[in-house]
Amino acid sequence: MTTQKSSLTYVLGATVAAIAIVVGGGLFLYSRMNRGQGLTPQTGAQVLPSDTMMAGFVETDQQRWLALGKFQAFAPEQWGDTLQENLLASGDINYAQDIQPWLGNVMMAMVPMAGEADQTDLLLVVGVKDKTKALQFFQKLAAQWQSPPQELEYEGVKLWEAVTGKGETISYALVDEKLVVASQTSTIETTIATTQQGNSLAVASQDRGLWEKTASLNNPIATFYVLDYGQLLTAMATQSGESLPPETLEQLAQIESVVMGVGVAEQGLHFQAIANLAPGAPMDFPPSDNRILERVPADALMALNGADIKGRWQQLVSQGETIAPLGTTVEEIRRTFTAETALDLDNDVFGWMDGEFALGMVPARGGMLGDFGVGGLILLETGDRQTAENTITQLENLVRRELPPGMDSRQEEVQGVKITLWDSPDQRTAMGYGWLDEDVFLLTIGFAPDPLVDLPRNDSLATGETFAEVTSALPQRNHGYFYVNFEEVWPLFGALSGATAEVPPEAQSILEGITGLAITTSNVDGETGQVDLMVLLKTAPEQ
């Protein structure tokens, strides 16, 4: 698959160039009403071929993008001149004055190239709200073109081929009151035929509700539609000279289409992906009550929680029965674990993990990791404590045999809870664990679990200010969360890896403007899965 000139610079540059030539060619010279029309995903799909693999829709409404300006990471003083400096060919062109008034949203689509197997072309569909404003824009650019475009005709519709100021060849036409642009003339001809024959993507997908899938996003600014997930990945593999094995193709066939969008929420950026699954695809993950987050401290740097590890493992094993590479990997994991521990992975380990769980990176108060300041936390809820205790006892015996000299375990009681501590030779705690209530196993790594034994709910992650804010716009009925207190983690990551020194200044300003992020997955219905990511952003200081 060869996608022609698919960079952002080409997308915007080619659009600007095509508008200029089209206007100059007389398409907008008062031949129709002055007022044009904006573009929506639905109207854009009316000119896309029915076999389009992927499409993206970008809102150009100024108010939607200005909403980003209230956040520190996207403050106008940092990003206001980026488009002007980097994307526009002429310093005399001002986006806000010359382009924004007439640009009525843009749609980009990856469409099969006519007569070329496994190759695609990038098709742009541009809404033109005001033809006179577009003409005025052209008059600023007219002097930059070396020669007039070549006029052609297909099925009674005029189209043009032209070479831009940067030497890029493009083809374009005005189809159904929309400007369409591509690198190949055959793509424009296909678009014309699609509109005239009525076999567009909008018609082919009208029963799928595809174009309304991200309706839950507030203030959306961009949406991307993967119309055939398996076909797209297969084409991408072909482009790289690889072929996907039958087992992978079988898994890909479980996902029919994916819609991804991003919107500007009150507290930051909300990303959402919705996948339509084929009938019979596994969708039986139970929702998590997320009660276990009441056991995680509010100052946790990172946390992952969910429910039913046992069921997830069983589903993985079941999939391995029909997907050979996965089955081989599962069997290898089983054999290796049993050889090292003499335990059965299915029954002795995952078999009792049937409740909620949480993993966390939390501040370490003392212990071996006290100087580092961060330790690990594991919480496991079970309905089979007896099996869990048997497994823990066997693991204790195994660890005791492998311990270095001077390291041993001891027990103490903390607020009525029996805690086992493993201390290093210098008497600093390396690990501690015990049972909270009757069914929750607590394990800390690098510090003693004493502060977490009877954690007040008001001091838990469930009521933490940052966590509550970043998850407030996410679906509340979900499979659990992955949460990052980014404001604390990023400096720590930089101090450990030194990677922050290699980050470009523009990216660094964005990263420093992030307070936290959270991801969750949920089932919309029996055949639709959803992933939501919220990025909590710092508000820009008032000027």
Side-chain angles (χ1 to χ4, degrees):
M1 178 186 74
T2 304
T3 301
Q4 302 291 330
K5 301 181 177 63
S6 58
S7 68
L8 177 60
T9 300
Y10 168 71
V11 169
L12 294 178
T15 301
V16 167
I19 282 286
I21 302 175
V22 168
V23 176
L27 284 176
F28 296 101
L29 290 178
Y30 308 105
S31 60
R32 301 183 184 179
M33 292 179 61
N34 170 56
R35 187 63 57 182
Q37 62 179 359
L39 194 72
T40 68
Q42 293 88 338
T43 58
Q46 292 171 0
V47 300
L48 298 182
S50 59
D51 56 356
T52 297
M53 287 188 286
M54 182 172 68
F57 181 82
V58 179
E59 294 275 358
T60 59
D61 177 64
Q62 185 180 19
Q63 295 305 314
R64 292 177 184 259
W65 290 92
L66 285 177
L68 279 173
K70 73 174 184 178
F71 300 115
Q72 173 183 314
F74 301 97
E77 59 268 21
Q78 295 189 39
W79 293 93
D81 295 331
T82 299
L83 181 66
Q84 186 71 26
E85 294 174 355
N86 298 329
L87 295 179
L88 298 181
S90 171
D92 296 331
I93 301 300
N94 181 286
Y95 177 81
Q97 295 177 7
D98 301 318
I99 299 177
Q100 195 273 332
W102 57 261
L103 186 62
N105 303 329
V106 178
M107 202 163 192
M108 301 161 285
M110 184 183 294
V111 300
M113 193 178 298
E116 300 286 344
D118 299 322
Q119 293 189 346
T120 64
D121 194 15
L122 180 66
L123 173 65
L124 303 180
V125 184
V126 183
V128 181
K129 297 186 298 184
D130 191 314
K131 298 170 187 176
T132 297
K133 292 288 186 182
L135 174 60
Q136 293 171 353
F137 167 68
F138 163 75
Q139 290 171 338
K140 281 194 172 185
L141 284 180
Q144 298 183 15
W145 302 107
Q146 300 176 358
S147 59
Q150 180 182 1
E151 182 178 314
L152 306 173
E153 186 170 317
Y154 181 78
E155 298 294 335
V157 178
K158 291 182 180 180
L159 60 151
W160 285 262
E161 290 180 349
V163 178
T164 71
K166 295 183 178 181
E168 297 169 330
T169 301
I170 59 173
S171 299
Y172 55 91
L174 193 66
V175 178
D176 193 25
E177 290 294 305
K178 305 167 188 70
L179 174 67
V180 293
V181 187
S183 65
Q184 301 295 315
T185 300
S186 60
T187 302
I188 302 301
E189 293 174 346
T190 299
T191 302
I192 294 170
T194 292
T195 305
Q196 293 184 348
Q197 296 168 11
N199 57 352
S200 67
L201 181 62
V203 174
S205 61
Q206 60 185 353
D207 296 329
R208 298 165 62 182
L210 193 66
W211 311 107
E212 297 83 21
K213 284 295 183 180
T214 54
S216 62
L217 284 176
N218 292 322
N219 201 24
I221 54 176
T223 308
F224 299 89
Y225 306 87
V226 179
L227 291 311
D228 190 322
Y229 189 73
Q231 181 189 18
L232 176 65
L233 294 190
T234 300
M236 293 176 67
T238 301
Q239 178 193 27
S240 62
E242 301 177 358
S243 60
L244 299 178
E247 297 85 359
T248 302
L249 292 174
E250 182 179 345
Q251 277 207 307
L252 292 177
Q254 296 179 353
I255 304 176
E256 291 186 341
S257 62
V258 179
V259 179
M260 298 167 285
V262 56
V264 183
E266 186 66 27
Q267 63 270 59
L269 288 175
H270 185 178
F271 298 85
Q272 186 179 89
I274 300 176
N276 288 337
L277 303 184
M283 277 288 293
D284 54 355
F285 289 140
S288 174
D289 291 334
N290 299 321
R291 293 190 310 270
I292 205 161
L293 294 177
E294 297 178 6
R295 308 274 191 181
V296 180
D299 56 0
L301 280 73
M302 299 175 65
L304 170 70
N305 80 287
D308 195 18
I309 295 177
K310 175 183 177 180
R312 293 171 185 262
W313 171 253
Q314 289 175 338
Q315 186 173 94
L316 188 68
V317 171
S318 178
Q319 290 179 328
E321 295 174 356
T322 57
I323 304 173
L326 177 60
T328 300
T329 301
V330 168
E331 285 304 318
E332 183 62 30
I333 293 173
R334 282 169 163 165
R335 284 195 299 268
T336 301
F337 186 81
T338 300
E340 296 291 335
T341 66
L343 292 170
D344 183 284
L345 188 61
D346 296 66
N347 298 315
D348 297 331
V349 180
F350 295 129
W352 55 271
M353 298 181 185
D354 53 1
E356 290 192 53
F357 70 89
L359 312 175
M361 187 170 76
V362 300
R365 301 164 177 86
M368 285 186 62
L369 294 178
D371 294 340
F372 179 61
V374 178
L377 167 67
I378 299 176
L379 289 159
L380 299 168
E381 184 183 47
T382 181
D384 186 0
R385 178 166 171 173
Q386 185 61 56
T387 299
E389 289 184 331
N390 292 340
T391 298
I392 292 167
T393 299
Q394 293 183 67
L395 289 174
E396 285 176 334
N397 295 333
L398 176 66
V399 170
R400 190 171 282 110
R401 292 195 299 268
E402 302 294 333
L403 282 178
M407 191 169 186
D408 202 357
S409 65
R410 60 186 172 89
Q411 289 192 337
E412 65 178 32
E413 191 169 292
V414 178
Q415 300 185 44
V417 176
K418 185 183 295 185
I419 297 294
T420 299
L421 300 170
W422 292 81
D423 293 334
S424 63
D426 60 0
Q427 299 303 302
R428 294 193 298 171
T429 299
M431 179 172 60
Y433 51 86
W435 287 91
L436 307 180
D437 300 329
E438 289 296 318
D439 58 358
V440 177
F441 179 70
L442 164 68
L443 168 69
T444 57
I445 301 171
F447 66 101
D450 299 27
L452 307 179
V453 168
D454 189 23
L455 183 71
R457 189 179 189 281
N458 290 339
D459 294 333
S460 72
L461 188 62
T463 60
E465 181 179 351
T466 299
F467 178 81
E469 189 173 5
V470 76
T471 59
S472 61
L474 300 180
Q476 298 303 297
R477 180 177 172 81
N478 56 56
H479 301 134
Y481 298 100
F482 174 62
Y483 162 77
V484 180
N485 185 334
F486 199 86
E487 192 173 22
E488 299 293 333
V489 170
W490 179 245
L492 179 64
F493 174 75
L496 292 175
S497 66
T500 56
E502 302 175 3
V503 178
E506 295 84 358
Q508 184 70 23
S509 66
I510 292 179
L511 294 171
E512 291 177 351
I514 299 175
T515 300
L517 60 87
I519 304 173
T520 191
T521 63
S522 56
N523 295 347
V524 179
D525 52 46
E527 296 181 355
T528 308
Q530 181 171 314
V531 180
D532 288 83
L533 163 64
M534 176 61 72
V535 180
L536 182 63
L537 298 174
K538 300 176 184 177
T539 302
E542 295 184 4
Q543 299 298 317

